[in-house]
Amino acid sequence: MRFVFSGKIPSDFQPSGRLPSGKRVFDISVSIALLVVLIPAFLVIALAIKWDMPGPVSSRPVLFRQTRTGRHGQLFVIYKFQTLRPCDPNGTLRPITPFCQFLRRWGFDELPQLFNVIRGDMSLVGPRPHTPKDNQNFVRHFSDYSEYDERHLVRPGITGLAQLNGWRGTIRNTANLQGRIALDIQYVRNRSIITDIIILFQTIVMPRRWLDGPCENSNTGLFSSNYRRAG
């Protein structure tokens, strides 16, 4: 099967498992409930970012926007809380403040993606979305391109099986990338509403599973079946 980066999955491609019935209803319902509960937190974080960033208050951005690749290769604009400071007049990147480091470490900078879920760009649980440029670079590390593209059969998620097992942050080498993608594909091939609930629950109440990096034997996390790493 050929790899089609545009996101047009060949019609003969049939992954094991059907798209879980009710997943979209679950995503919207939980996202709206979380937004209602988290309104005070959104306001506090937004005000803190305004205070934390350099420059005139009116020009300090609260949200970071970037183009990412979604289901079937469709591009969308992802939202995050702005944690990267603008460069100084000499073009030097300013260091991240302790408050922004806190947001990034605990994943609070990802909370605005609840709006992406409601819009239909993302799901609560799924593979993390990459930029188009990163996709073009990452796929070169796999001997079978279709295995990498399989992660685009579902909506990308705010959290996922890979993130639950500590695969988050900067991708530094091929082994790091393949470890993440192996778990992404494992999720895609075994996805269900129950799986989503377990991943979402453990992401929230068991942060030590993902705060300190990859877990040992993480490729067998929630499922009895094993996925053979690509490449």
Side-chain angles (χ1 to χ4, degrees):
M1 181 197 330
R2 71 185 189 284
F3 171 80
V4 185
F5 184 71
S6 66
K8 302 293 186 181
I9 304 298
S11 58
D12 61 345
F13 185 72
Q14 296 293 333
S16 59
R18 298 166 57 191
L19 189 65
S21 176
K23 179 176 172 68
R24 182 70 184 135
V25 174
F26 172 79
D27 282 342
I28 294 176
S29 301
V30 174
S31 296
I32 291 175
L34 288 174
L35 282 172
V36 171
V37 172
L38 293 173
I39 285 176
F42 272 72
L43 293 175
V44 169
I45 292 173
L47 290 173
I49 290 174
K50 281 285 189 180
W51 177 81
D52 202 42
M53 291 290 178
V57 174
S58 60
S59 64
R60 298 174 189 174
V62 171
L63 292 179
F64 170 80
R65 299 173 177 85
Q66 189 179 50
T67 300
R68 299 289 180 97
T69 305
R71 186 185 182 195
H72 293 176
Q74 297 297 316
L75 301 182
F76 71 97
V77 176
I78 197 172
Y79 303 120
K80 293 187 176 187
F81 281 121
Q82 178 66 265
T83 56
L84 297 176
R85 303 175 72 191
C87 296
D88 62 23
N90 296 322
T92 303
L93 187 66
R94 293 186 173 99
I96 298 175
T97 65
F99 174 70
C100 288
Q101 288 178 341
F102 169 79
L103 293 180
R104 292 166 68 90
R105 172 170 170 76
W106 288 91
F108 293 137
D109 60 323
E110 313 285 359
L111 289 178
Q113 288 159 41
L114 291 170
F115 291 105
N116 285 116
V117 175
I118 292 174
R119 287 179 48 176
D121 302 323
M122 296 179 64
S123 175
L124 290 171
V125 179
R128 286 296 295 167
H130 299 152
T131 66
K133 181 178 180 179
D134 282 343
N135 272 325
Q136 292 174 354
N137 291 330
F138 293 162
V139 74
R140 297 170 185 167
H141 294 265
F142 293 82
S143 58
D144 185 350
Y145 290 177
S146 64
E147 288 185 336
Y148 181 86
D149 201 40
E150 193 172 340
R151 69 193 303 276
H152 297 117
L153 287 171
V154 299
R155 289 185 178 92
I158 298 177
T159 186
L161 186 60
Q163 287 66 47
L164 180 62
N165 285 283
W167 294 104
R168 56 195 293 266
T170 303
I171 296 176
R172 303 185 184 281
N173 51 53
T174 299
N176 185 291
L177 171 64
Q178 292 182 343
R180 298 184 190 207
I181 301 305
L183 287 169
D184 287 343
I185 303 307
Q186 190 178 22
Y187 168 80
V188 170
R189 295 180 178 179
N190 296 273
R191 61 192 185 273
S192 70
I193 292 294
I194 298 300
T195 298
D196 281 14
I197 292 173
I198 292 173
I199 292 174
L200 191 61
F201 178 79
Q202 291 189 358
T203 298
I204 296 172
V205 305
M206 300 173 63
R208 290 196 177 276
R209 281 204 60 172
W210 49 267
L211 271 179
D212 298 320
C215 301
E216 293 295 328
N217 299 320
S218 60
N219 63 321
T220 59
L222 294 178
F223 309 113
S224 59
S225 60
N226 292 323
Y227 168 72
R228 176 180 57 82
R229 284 191 182 183

